[in-house]
């Protein structure tokens, strides 16, 4: 993932594990405190373990990076903490791999951001994913179109977020929205046909502009990035309330209940934190859920086994064995050495259990003759080779593993 971020021109950034509580309550209100691991430190400061990294990165940007040329592309890996009921794929401590794109809101900027999220998951081996692209300005315009009050909107947003459409239908009916309008709103929230939304919102200039950007993003994703697994979906409203305009999510069907792998979009935090306002967007991938997806899809995780195990045959051979080990490490071989004086038989057995393909045995005779004994653990064949040929021999042997 790190390599993929770098290939897209992003730079890595790290922020502290805990922050002042206000950083997260400023936008989201006191309600979010229930989801935070908050504590007072010895100085009586109100702190919290970070639930996510967008607010910390934007705080950092406002404090330190505002003068940097734009757009600024920052990525991060970090542990996050949410006081939630743990279940499969939902943990109290979990990891995010994410990024923030600061200083552009062009369709190509947004398309590249979404393409990056998709590429990160594809390149680590996730096979089945489904992407959804929404827009909060359009959703708000729909609500206004159906004359829903601010209060009503706040009440139905969580239902839309949960995709609980049956419950949404009864709630809308209880709010007094006529049946015909309820079903129209439900259709528009779930349609993949952008022209239906354009027709419904033809008097709302801002919404139409956002729909046109949405169209361009989808076009660029497919024509320039070759990504066709994103569909329009206005029921993507995202839980965190700093978003505006474009929002997107990627799901992995393999995951079952907690199937959201990635979420992101455009948001507004810079001004709130005292900086000069500019467009910002980003996303975060749930790292743990990515691993769960790969496990469910039966991905074969690559291992990095030790290449070579060095065994000093006698006590006097320990210093030259350590020296040889260091030499091999400097040449880039993953090298381990017997540190517990097991004796040759047990040391070979140990190397076998660790699936180490090659052992080097160093005894007094070999030392005297400037040779070593190289044992191929797969065939059991031992050969004596001059010390100056070790590197070449090892490379040759490992090539055939
Ligand atoms: P989020 O949707 O809250 O967005 O989290 C992003 C991803 O983190 C989720 O899609 C999910 O895979 C993973 N995740 C969330 N909570 C848990 C949990 N309790 N256990 C395991 N995985 C979890 C954000 O955090 C935003 N900061 C993303 C963003 C960046 N928006 C703009 N820039």
């Amino acid at each position: 993932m790190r390599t993929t971020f770098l290939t897209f021109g992003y730079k890595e950034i790290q922020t502290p594990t805990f922050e002042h509580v206000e950083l997260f309550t400023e936008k989201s209100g006191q309600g979010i405190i229930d989801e935070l691991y908050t504590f007072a430190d010895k100085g009586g400061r109100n702190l919290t373990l970070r639930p996510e990294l967008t607010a910390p990165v934007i705080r950092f940007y406002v404090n330190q990076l505002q003068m940097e040329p734009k757009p600024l592309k920052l990525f991060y890996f970090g542990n996050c903490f949410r006081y939630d009921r743990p279940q499969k794929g939902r943990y109290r401590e979990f990891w995010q791999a994410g990024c923030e794109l600061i200083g552009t809101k062009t369709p190509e900027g947004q398309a590249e951001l979404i393409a990056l999220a998709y590429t990160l998951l594809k390149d680590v081996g996730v096979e089945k994913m489904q992407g959804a692209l929404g827009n909060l300005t359009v959703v708000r315009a729909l609500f206004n179109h159906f004359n829903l009050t601010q209060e009503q909107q706040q009440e139905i947003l969580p239902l839309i977020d949960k995709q609980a459409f049956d419950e949404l239908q009864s709630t809308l009916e209880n709010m007094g929205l006529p049946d015909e309008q309820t079903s129209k709103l439900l259709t528009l929230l779930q349609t993949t046909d952008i022209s239906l939304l354009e027709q419904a919102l033809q008097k709302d200039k801002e919404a139409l502009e956002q729909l046109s950007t949405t169209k361009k993003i989808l076009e660029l994703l497919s024509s320039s990035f070759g990504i066709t697994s994103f569909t329009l979906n206005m029921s993507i409203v995202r839980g965190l309330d700093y978003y505006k305009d474009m929002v997107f999510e990627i799901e992995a069907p393999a995951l079952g209940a907690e199937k959201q792998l990635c979420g992101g979009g455009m948001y507004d935090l810079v001004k709130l934190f005292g900086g000069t306002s500019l467009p910002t967007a980003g996303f975060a991938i749930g790292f743990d859920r990515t691993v769960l997806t790969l496990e469910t899809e039966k991905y074969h995780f690559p291992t990095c086994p030790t290449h070579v195990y060095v065994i000093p045959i006698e006590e006097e051979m320990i210093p030259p064995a350590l020296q040889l080990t260091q030499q091999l490490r400097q040449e880039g071989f993953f090298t381990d050495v017997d540190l517990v004086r097991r004796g040759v038989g047990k040391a070979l057995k140990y190397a076998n259990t660790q699936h180490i393909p090659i052992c080097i045995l160093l005894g007094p005779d070999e030392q005297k003759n400037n040779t070593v004994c190289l044992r191929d653990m797969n065939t059991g064949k031992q050969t004596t080779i001059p010390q100056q040929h070790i590197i070449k021999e090892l490379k040759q042997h490992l090539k055939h593993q």
Side-chain angles (χ1 to χ4, degrees):
M1 281 187 167
R2 184 168 272 123
T3 309
T4 306
F5 276 123
L6 292 168
T7 61
F8 274 68
Y10 279 74
K11 305 270 181 341
E12 190 162 359
I13 176 173
Q14 285 190 1
T15 67
T17 314
F18 54 83
E19 297 276 353
H20 287 281
V21 173
E22 297 79 48
L23 188 76
F24 301 102
T25 52
E26 208 150 353
K27 180 78 192 179
S28 310
Q30 293 295 311
I32 200 182
I33 288 196
D34 289 347
E35 292 168 30
L36 296 177
Y37 275 89
T38 53
F39 59 98
D41 73 357
K42 286 180 184 164
R45 279 171 287 256
N46 225 349
L47 302 178
T48 184
L49 296 175
R50 59 186 176 201
E52 55 105 39
L53 280 100
T54 305
V57 168
I58 296 303
R59 175 189 57 71
F60 187 18
Y61 165 75
V62 170
N63 290 344
Q64 310 271 348
L65 303 172
Q66 287 201 77
M67 302 310 280
E68 294 292 316
K70 309 292 181 308
L72 202 55
K73 291 173 148 183
L74 305 170
F75 78 93
Y76 49 79
F77 288 94
N79 50 348
C80 302
F81 305 82
R82 293 186 191 179
Y83 198 85
D84 218 333
R85 207 155 36 105
Q87 51 184 288
K88 189 171 178 245
R90 181 175 289 278
Y91 311 116
R92 287 184 167 166
E93 178 174 3
F94 60 98
W95 281 74
Q96 282 189 346
C99 67
E100 309 304 333
L101 173 65
I102 301 173
T104 175
K105 60 170 181 183
T106 57
E108 57 273 28
Q110 298 181 52
E112 191 201 53
L113 182 79
I114 298 169
L116 170 57
Y118 178 89
T119 310
L120 283 161
L121 291 165
K122 195 88 211 153
D123 283 0
V124 292
V126 175
E127 280 174 11
K128 291 208 183 76
M129 309 179 240
Q130 182 58 48
L133 184 63
N135 191 292
L136 293 180
T137 303
V138 174
V139 175
R140 291 278 178 203
L142 281 177
F143 292 165
N144 292 336
H145 182 71
F146 289 96
N147 297 317
L148 295 171
T149 64
Q150 282 298 327
E151 218 173 48
Q152 290 172 327
Q153 299 185 15
Q154 282 321 110
E155 194 180 332
I156 62 171
L157 273 170
L159 299 178
I160 301 175
D161 195 28
K162 279 193 288 181
Q163 315 270 305
F165 293 113
D166 288 343
E167 211 182 321
L168 176 64
Q169 182 167 5
S170 52
T171 308
L172 287 170
E173 280 162 10
N174 288 342
M175 286 173 175
L177 198 70
D179 286 357
E180 191 201 328
Q181 297 215 7
T182 298
S183 77
K184 203 165 165 210
L185 176 56
L186 283 166
T187 306
L188 290 169
L189 285 172
Q190 294 172 84
T191 186
T192 52
D193 182 356
I194 209 158
S195 63
L196 284 186
L197 291 158
E198 283 169 337
Q199 276 159 29
L201 299 171
Q202 50 185 294
K203 291 203 193 87
D204 192 320
K205 201 166 150 256
E206 212 189 343
L208 286 182
E209 262 170 34
Q210 289 298 323
L211 283 172
S212 147
T213 305
T214 308
K215 227 194 281 190
K216 278 192 203 123
I217 294 172
L218 285 168
E219 270 163 26
L220 286 170
L221 277 176
S222 103
S223 65
S224 301
F225 294 98
I227 298 170
T228 51
S229 48
F230 274 80
T231 46
L232 182 83
N233 186 344
M234 288 303 156
S235 64
I236 301 298
V237 291
R238 312 281 301 125
L240 301 165
D241 46 4
Y242 47 58
Y243 291 102
K244 60 166 210 175
D245 299 344
M246 183 276 283
V247 281
F248 74 98
E249 288 180 358
I250 300 175
E251 287 184 352
L255 279 182
E258 296 298 328
K259 57 181 181 229
Q260 197 199 112
L261 271 185
C262 172
M266 302 212 48
Y267 56 87
D268 246 347
L269 281 176
V270 173
K271 193 143 170 259
L272 191 75
F273 294 166
T276 310
S277 188
L278 81 176
T280 42
F283 64 80
I285 289 174
F287 195 79
D288 314 72
R289 287 188 194 173
T290 307
V291 175
L292 274 178
T293 308
L294 292 171
E295 279 173 0
T296 315
E297 289 185 345
K298 305 268 180 275
Y299 177 78
H300 181 71
F301 284 88
T303 48
C304 288
T306 304
H307 298 138
V308 194
Y309 193 58
V310 180
I311 307 169
I313 291 179
E314 285 174 6
E315 206 175 313
E316 305 86 78
M317 291 299 109
I318 291 173
L322 290 173
Q323 209 181 349
L324 175 64
T325 303
Q326 280 303 90
Q327 193 193 339
L328 297 180
R329 286 172 177 160
Q330 271 157 19
E331 289 293 333
F333 295 104
F334 301 173
T335 314
D336 202 358
V337 56
D338 176 31
L339 296 174
V340 289
R341 305 185 185 184
R342 280 193 173 87
V344 178
K346 282 192 176 154
L348 287 174
K349 232 185 213 160
Y350 168 78
N352 221 1
T353 61
Q354 298 305 303
H355 309 292
I356 301 173
I358 295 165
C359 283
I360 290 180
L361 300 146
L362 201 61
D365 287 347
E366 284 86 5
Q367 178 71 354
K368 205 164 60 208
N369 300 328
N370 278 328
T371 59
V372 294
C373 175
L374 193 145
R375 183 181 173 99
D376 184 319
M377 297 298 283
N378 289 326
T379 61
K381 203 173 144 211
Q382 291 195 174
T383 36
T384 301
I385 53 167
Q387 289 214 3
Q388 73 262 34
H389 292 166
I390 294 182
I391 308 287
K392 203 175 77 192
E393 287 283 336
L394 281 179
K395 280 188 182 152
Q396 202 114 48
H397 269 79
L398 288 168
K399 218 166 43 192
H400 299 300
Q401 294 297 321

